[in-house]
Amino acid sequence: MKDKNIFIAVIGGSDCSAEEASLAEEVGREIARNGAVLVCGGLGGVMEAACRGASHEGGLTIGILPGDNRRTANPFVRIPIVTGIGYARNVAVVKSAQAVIAIDGSYGTLSEISHALQSKIPVIGLNTWSLSINGQPDNSIIPADSPKDAVKRAIELINNQYPE
Amino acid sequence: MKDKNIFIAVIGGSDCSAEEASLAEEVGREIARNGAVLVCGGLGGVMEAACRGASHEGGLTIGILPGDNRRTANPFVRIPIVTGIGYARNVAVVKSAQAVIAIDGSYGTLSEISHALQSKIPVIGLNTWSLSINGQPDNSIIPADSPKDAVKRAIELINNQYPE
Amino acid sequence: MKDKNIFIAVIGGSDCSAEEASLAEEVGREIARNGAVLVCGGLGGVMEAACRGASHEGGLTIGILPGDNRRTANPFVRIPIVTGIGYARNVAVVKSAQAVIAIDGSYGTLSEISHALQSKIPVIGLNTWSLSINGQPDNSIIPADSPKDAVKRAIELINNQYPE
Amino acid sequence: MKDKNIFIAVIGGSDCSAEEASLAEEVGREIARNGAVLVCGGLGGVMEAACRGASHEGGLTIGILPGDNRRTANPFVRIPIVTGIGYARNVAVVKSAQAVIAIDGSYGTLSEISHALQSKIPVIGLNTWSLSINGQPDNSIIPADSPKDAVKRAIELINNQYPE
């Protein structure tokens, strides 16, 4: 763990396909390989796969839980934050990160994308939502080609936004 | 005020165009004419226009505020709820309603749409976001032709979902 | 309902003794008789008794609920606010009022007293907590002799604090 | 950092006396010496002193912030959690710990003590609030003689409550 950590959130549903889990796990691995801290909602699906990946590379994983019990965290969460505020914790997941990587398409994920964009936190997407408003596409979600590309873009955006 | 109230949320940005304000005001009027209670985020723009409309028809208006001060409510809010929880209050705005009418397209509005769909609360849209996931359209937001049509659909959905 | 409402919160446990329920019901009646709006946490015990009293006098009652379902409100709540944020809603209960009347002594009530005092919202107590710090009494909770006295003090404090 | 962490919260005001800061710093040191993770509200005063102590012993420090900006964390917070929910974050501070050590006596601290006791999380006190209800003392806050004693009791309580 470096002295000044970079925090990247991985957001996605608590149920996910095998393909999405595979993407999430590789995103988690890349985050850890780059010495960044993984922030997520702490539950299963995309969140668990990402934590598993980060954990296997020795990375630090934070799970910001909706409920009242730390035991609801997936087994790869090292730092469970027990909020007790339900889905309102989605706001804290994205605000606790400097960039967000969205995988898949639950409505919870969409709420996190929205809260991130509202807070001007960059969002990188892998197989996720597309938005348009009155027929005009909104291109705020930055598409990535691969987990490696997603993490690379996240780190570049953070370094540009928060220069030393 | 009838004994058993119907609660409809109007969501939209705190800045809005004249056209959006006009739609919102008419939605507010229709909500009040139908004896329903208007729920919103309590601030300006779409929220204020909707409250103005409902207020002019003698309707009850609830503003669920993000900040710490009831004086931040627009002047047409009769019941200010002071949450102090910032944008996490978006969750409470939609959960406090039985149907949601979305006007315009800020990211805050999109977060409220997402939280509503996640909670299985129907969302009716007027000039608002369109969603697609991996290239497939998601048609969960029910389009309305006019403010009157939007409120009519909201009330029908509520009556079907919560029969006497 | 007057044009400019006064909002008074009644706080107390969801389980309470018959004596506490009787005090709470009379506090609710007095709030309504004075044309003020009753704010509470929306559940049973002290909250339900207070809402019953206010309701019998034709008063308006707001229940700021911790959970996800408006049906958890007691039957005398006219305006259920569904927060979904658990006990963090205690903050919204007190911030939505201009004065707080505390009855009985659960830890939830103590958290609401604390949040009110932190926000400089006056707290009037009936059979409730006493505080001391390092052996020195803290007299911030204003004792009342009776429900009528409690509501009278609340209204005086509000009128002094928020003069026309 | 051991594989299975113990989490201890230190709660106290953002302004504090030199004596309180000294107690808090020593509590932080003891937490770190025992391999536990320090959780706090992330700001100044007692929170900063505790984080400084833990940090000097190489411990991990988590700051659960009320606002929207990680830069509001004191310089000894390694893991800033940015909630954006204001003082409602007090609930998350105590729920994220398995035992709580309270130093001093602000109303924010009292709200955290209350939320902890409501959630059945043990509270150990150093120069902090005393409670009584209707003239009867409530002895739920466990008094400690010294920072070392406070941390020792916290760890014993956690180990008894959550045996391997």
Side-chain angles (χ1 to χ4, degrees), chain B residues 50-73:
Chain B
C51 287
R52 188 169 51 232
S55 189
H56 285 171
E57 299 287 333
L60 188 60
T61 54
I62 299 172
I64 302 181
L65 296 163
D68 288 313
N69 192 330
R70 68 184 57 247
R71 294 174 191 214
T72 58

Side-chain angles (χ1 to χ4, degrees), chain D residues 29-84:
Chain D
R29 283 185 183 275
E30 277 298 309
I31 287 173
R33 282 177 194 135
N34 282 277
V37 177
L38 169 65
V39 178
C40 72
L43 302 179
V46 164
M47 300 171 261
E48 179 164 349
C51 287
R52 187 170 51 235
S55 188
H56 285 173
E57 298 288 334
L60 188 60
T61 55
I62 299 172
I64 303 181
L65 297 163
D68 288 313
N69 192 330
R70 70 182 57 246
R71 294 175 191 213
T72 58
N74 73 61
F76 306 102
V77 168
R78 284 295 281 279
I79 308 284
I81 303 295
V82 184
T83 69

Side-chain angles (χ1 to χ4, degrees), chain A residues 44-129:
Chain A
V46 162
M47 298 170 262
E48 180 164 348
C51 287
R52 187 170 52 236
S55 189
H56 285 172
E57 298 287 335
L60 187 60
T61 55
I62 299 172
I64 302 181
L65 296 163
D68 288 313
N69 192 330
R70 69 185 57 246
R71 293 173 192 216
T72 58
N74 74 60
F76 307 102
V77 168
R78 284 295 281 279
I79 307 285
I81 303 296
V82 184
T83 69
I85 61 169
Y87 289 115
R89 75 76 156 87
N90 293 7
V91 177
V93 170
V94 298
K95 281 186 186 289
S96 296
Q98 293 157 302
V100 171
I101 298 173
I103 299 169
D104 106 345
S106 70
Y107 293 122
T109 305
L110 183 60
S111 78
E112 291 172 316
I113 291 172
S114 317
H115 287 298
L117 294 176
Q118 186 177 28
S119 301
K120 303 197 190 311
I121 296 166
V123 178
I124 295 116
L126 278 168
N127 293 22
T128 192
W129 293 95

Side-chain angles (χ1 to χ4, degrees), chain A residues 107 115 127 130 132 138 140, chain B residues 107 115 127 130 132 134 138 140:
Chain A
Y107 293 122
H115 287 298
N127 293 22
S130 304
S132 62
D138 174 304
S140 301
Chain B
Y107 293 122
H115 286 299
N127 293 21
S130 302
S132 63
N134 287 330
D138 174 305
S140 301

